[in-house]
Amino acid sequence: MLKLSRRQLLKTSAISTALFSVPTPLMAATRSKLVVPPLVEVRRGRPIILTMEEMGYRLDGEHQVSVWGFNGNYLGPTIKIKSGSFAKLNYHNNLPQHVSLSIQGLQASGELFGGAARVLKKGESWAPIVPINQPAATCWYRSATLANSAYQTYRGLVGMWLIEDEHSVKSALPRKYGVDDIPLILQDMEFNREGLQLFKQNQPHFVGNRLLVNGLEAPYLDVPRGWVRLRLLNASLARAYELRLDNDQDITVIAKDLGFLPQGKEVKSFILAPGERTEILVNLSEGGNVSLISGHKRGIFDKVKQIFSADGELVENTVLELRPQGDFSAFAQKMAVSFETDAVSMRKAVVAGEREFVLDVSNGLINQKRFDPRRVDVVAKQGSVERWIINASLPVGFTIQGAKFIIESDEKGVPEESELAWKDTVWVRGKTQILVRFDQPSSNTYPFIFGASNLMLADMGCIGTMIVQ
């Protein structure tokens, strides 16, 4: 039960009165317009320049504070590249700390992947040329610095990678970046009175009470009437989100992490684990404004309560308000939601071996061991498929670099074929079995990492090293 002091009670009453006196449409009118990260579309060998640096930004909407980002912006630009081409990367570190970056979901060798083993000191650069040979996917780049990835990602070292292929380019899906194809980076944070980010290292969890989307709280976006495509990335350190529309409208899930589903799936809500990506379609052919929210729709009493809650609940649970523009459509346009994917064929793959991992979420351990960079935890054969059985003491995200998998079974049972997609991150609630395919090589010098996608746990040592030969 919520307990308040006399002073807090008086303050609550005052705010309650103010909230009740403000019409809902007027409250919605105070929202900020969504900021869409700049797009870097890679064509004809255009280099991808990513300079990490410090800048000023109003994270809480009021106070100018110091944040981190890329190329002078909070967060990084969205990189868009077509499969079959080369990414000419150019990283430069202008920050006061050593930084390692990884592109989660990128199917490349350990030497080109980046990750914890590729450390950039202040003033250093790295310019790999990475072949892109994988189906259409929504990936993301972030800090992967050992024992410091949570803090650096939290400060703003986050961005999206969009990989297109010949099938995705020819599809009827919305593809106008920032218009009807919208990237959404979700981060939960906590601020002090001056608007500075609060953070505690060496903790197994972090949940903030403010939800930012592309660096703004509860923004809106004017979109053309019809179908809208949202590419969602959970860049929060530990929090998972249950996402739905506030009018209880169906959402069509079309892709997860590393590829499309065979068939779009209509759902009322879905879970987005830390580090996980999901693509959805929303039909705005008819009706008015609709909001994507985390959790359940709140009434005015819920909003008052959350202002003074100290239990990690979000003050505002609106992710994005969509405001369709244009006339109603007399006939709602049909959208083709069948896609080509070889993920389903993994069910018939020859399994070379089986491994079991138990994640101790309270203490940051895998199989009772803490991460040691001198120890190799997994050696897999390139081109092989293994069954990994993952258990966790509490619900937690699990992720793997340089490889991909399908979910064989989880707490809900065996998924239908129409629900199978290539993934690199999964929300583990109880026993989860995945079939992992190892297509990319890694070495002792440049290994891949697997383990908790909760970056607080990862920094505590709830990760392991993997060599693929």
Side-chain angles (χ1 to χ4, degrees), residues 297-460:
K297 188 175 181 178
R298 294 176 178 173
I300 196 70
F301 288 108
D302 298 305
K303 294 182 179 180
V304 172
K305 179 180 176 180
Q306 297 313 323
I307 290 174
F308 298 97
S309 176
D311 57 4
E313 286 297 314
L314 297 168
V315 171
E316 169 64 75
N317 70 334
T318 298
V319 176
L320 175 68
E321 181 186 4
L322 295 166
R323 300 178 179 178
Q325 308 295 304
D327 297 331
F328 291 143
S329 173
F331 301 97
Q333 177 189 0
K334 295 284 185 180
M335 176 64 69
V337 286
S338 296
F339 307 99
E340 290 194 22
T341 173
D342 62 349
V344 176
S345 65
M346 274 285 281
R347 283 187 167 172
K348 299 178 181 178
V350 176
V351 178
E354 189 172 286
R355 303 179 195 268
E356 187 162 359
F357 302 95
V358 179
L359 277 64
D360 182 342
V361 177
S362 300
N363 299 300
L365 306 173
I366 298 182
N367 293 347
Q368 297 302 308
K369 294 179 181 178
R370 198 172 302 282
F371 174 73
D372 185 342
R374 299 164 298 182
R375 185 185 68 237
V376 175
D377 299 286
V378 169
V379 177
K381 184 178 180 181
Q382 187 176 359
S384 69
V385 173
E386 293 185 356
R387 175 178 290 110
W388 285 19
I389 303 169
I390 309 159
N391 288 279
S393 56
L394 293 168
V396 68
F398 181 88
T399 192
I400 188 170
Q401 294 178 350
K404 57 186 180 180
F405 60 78
I406 66 163
I407 298 173
E408 189 175 33
S409 65
D410 56 19
E411 81 285 353
K412 295 181 290 187
V414 177
E416 298 177 4
E417 284 194 355
S418 60
E419 299 176 301
L420 294 178
W422 288 114
K423 293 180 60 60
D424 56 50
T425 304
V426 63
W427 185 238
V428 177
R429 289 173 291 187
K431 182 179 179 181
T432 299
Q433 289 188 187
I434 60 176
L435 294 175
V436 188
R437 192 162 88 187
F438 306 93
D439 289 333
Q440 300 297 327
S442 63
S443 64
N444 289 76
T445 307
Y446 298 106
F448 293 129
I449 298 292
F450 68 92
S453 69
N454 173 333
L455 296 185
M456 303 294 288
L457 284 172
D459 286 350
M460 287 180 65

Side-chain angles (χ1 to χ4, degrees), residues 174-414:
R175 293 185 58 247
K176 294 179 181 177
Y177 181 81
V179 178
D180 57 11
D181 184 0
I182 317 297
L184 299 177
I185 300 173
L186 279 60
Q187 304 165 288
D188 64 332
M189 294 186 180
E190 189 170 348
F191 307 124
N192 66 12
R193 292 181 179 179
E194 286 73 44
L196 290 168
Q197 294 166 289
L198 298 178
F199 180 81
K200 290 183 180 180
Q201 286 186 304
N202 303 317
Q203 302 288 327
H205 303 284
F206 172 87
V207 286
N209 61 356
R210 306 283 289 274
L211 173 57
L212 273 64
V213 182
N214 296 358
L216 291 172
E217 188 173 31
Y220 78 92
L221 185 66
D222 293 331
V223 293
R225 190 168 293 283
W227 289 92
V228 173
R229 179 184 187 179
L230 304 179
R231 302 184 192 239
L232 291 146
L233 158 64
N234 183 355
S236 296
L237 303 183
R239 185 193 290 274
Y241 299 93
E242 183 181 10
L243 301 175
R244 57 171 45 84
L245 296 174
D246 66 347
N247 64 353
D248 206 33
Q249 180 180 332
D250 283 340
I251 294 168
T252 305
V253 177
I254 60 171
K256 298 181 179 180
D257 291 348
L258 295 181
F260 290 110
L261 279 69
Q263 181 72 34
K265 182 178 177 61
E266 289 192 350
V267 299
K268 293 294 185 184
S269 67
F270 61 96
I271 300 291
L272 195 67
E276 195 173 22
R277 291 88 65 205
T278 297
E279 289 187 42
I280 64 173
L281 294 176
V282 179
N283 189 354
L284 298 175
S285 299
E286 298 179 353
N289 300 349
V290 61
S291 292
L292 183 70
I293 60 174
S294 173
H296 294 276
K297 188 175 181 178
R298 294 176 178 173
I300 196 70
F301 288 108
D302 298 305
K303 294 182 179 180
V304 172
K305 179 180 176 180
Q306 297 313 323
I307 290 174
F308 298 97
S309 176
D311 57 4
E313 286 297 314
L314 297 168
V315 171
E316 169 64 75
N317 70 334
T318 298
V319 176
L320 175 68
E321 181 186 4
L322 295 166
R323 300 178 179 178
Q325 308 295 304
D327 297 331
F328 291 143
S329 173
F331 301 97
Q333 177 189 0
K334 295 284 185 180
M335 176 64 69
V337 286
S338 296
F339 307 99
E340 290 194 22
T341 173
D342 62 349
V344 176
S345 65
M346 274 285 281
R347 283 187 167 172
K348 299 178 181 178
V350 176
V351 178
E354 189 172 286
R355 303 179 195 268
E356 187 162 359
F357 302 95
V358 179
L359 277 64
D360 182 342
V361 177
S362 300
N363 299 300
L365 306 173
I366 298 182
N367 293 347
Q368 297 302 308
K369 294 179 181 178
R370 198 172 302 282
F371 174 73
D372 185 342
R374 299 164 298 182
R375 185 185 68 237
V376 175
D377 299 286
V378 169
V379 177
K381 184 178 180 181
Q382 187 176 359
S384 69
V385 173
E386 293 185 356
R387 175 178 290 110
W388 285 19
I389 303 169
I390 309 159
N391 288 279
S393 56
L394 293 168
V396 68
F398 181 88
T399 192
I400 188 170
Q401 294 178 350
K404 57 186 180 180
F405 60 78
I406 66 163
I407 298 173
E408 189 175 33
S409 65
D410 56 19
E411 81 285 353
K412 295 181 290 187
V414 177

Side-chain angles (χ1 to χ4, degrees), residues 112-130:
L112 297 176
F113 182 84
R118 186 73 68 170
V119 180
L120 295 181
K121 299 177 182 178
K122 181 180 179 180
E124 286 188 341
S125 299
W126 181 46
I129 299 176
V130 184

